[in-house]
Amino acid sequence: ASSVVSGQLSSRVGHVKALLSGSLALTTLAFVVMAVTLSPDSTQAEVTLRMILIGLGFGPTLPLFPLIVQNASRPQDVGVVTAGAMFSRSLGQVIGLATFGTLFAATLGAALGPRAATVLADLPPDVRSAVEESVPALSRSGEGIDVSFDPAAARTRVAAALSGPRVDASAGDVR
């Protein structure tokens, strides 16, 4: 919505740079609000409202950046500079996604290992082995393992382990 409105507003008012500056300020404010107020207890509605605020700030950049580039170029170069701007945006998205995806995966892997080990340690040995065999990434660092995952087979293995007899090592009895 803000993308369409900003395009219409810039053609009627003509203050493209002021609109863009305002939208970038709103985006910055929205990210600050998200960073400061987001917690594990936040509801889906709260997260949605914060994301809408980010979208309202970010939306105007989509039509306004190319418009500024086009207005700054000679008429015969409009196609070239527009293509260059779009290429640069696409390249930035690819590099950004790869970089932040790598950081996210590394952070998640580092956090998942110790937490999974703690949870798996509390399980009976037969259930733990069924879970580890079903989801090998939980029991190893994740390097060089087959990441194919069959949820139905995993559920069946864990259910079979839970329903079978278990030995309580501390009491020496079979349950």
Side-chain angles (χ1 to χ4, degrees):
S2 64
S3 179
V4 173
V5 169
S6 68
Q8 293 295 320
L9 206 61
S10 67
S11 66
R12 292 192 175 119
V13 176
H15 298 288
V16 179
K17 290 181 184 177
L19 277 168
L20 185 60
S21 297
S23 71
L24 291 175
L26 179 60
T27 303
T28 303
L29 176 70
F31 275 117
V32 168
V33 167
M34 177 77 85
V36 171
T37 63
L38 191 64
S39 72
D41 299 326
S42 297
T43 65
Q44 182 66 39
E46 292 171 336
V47 174
T48 301
L49 289 174
R50 290 177 182 107
M51 293 300 293
I52 288 171
L53 188 61
I54 290 171
L56 288 174
F58 186 73
T61 65
L62 299 174
L64 295 182
F65 275 131
L67 184 61
I68 288 172
V69 169
Q70 291 167 350
N71 287 339
S73 68
R74 298 180 306 173
Q76 61 265 29
D77 295 333
V78 168
V80 173
V81 297
T82 303
M86 293 299 109
F87 176 73
S88 297
R89 179 183 286 179
S90 296
L91 190 62
Q93 289 171 348
V94 168
I95 292 170
L97 181 63
T99 302
F100 287 109
T102 301
L103 289 173
F104 177 77
T107 304
L108 179 64
L112 184 62
R115 290 183 182 171
T118 303
V119 171
L120 290 175
D122 294 339
L123 295 175
D126 52 344
V127 175
R128 182 181 329 116
S129 66
V131 171
E132 289 175 346
E133 289 171 12
S134 300
V135 188
L138 292 178
S139 60
R140 297 191 236 355
S141 67
E143 292 290 323
I145 62 170
D146 178 19
V147 293
S148 60
F149 178 66
D150 182 5
R155 272 191 224 98
T156 302
R157 277 186 179 160
V158 172
L162 286 171
S163 65
R166 287 185 266 148
V167 176
D168 185 355
S170 62
D173 63 340
V174 176
R175 293 188 214 174

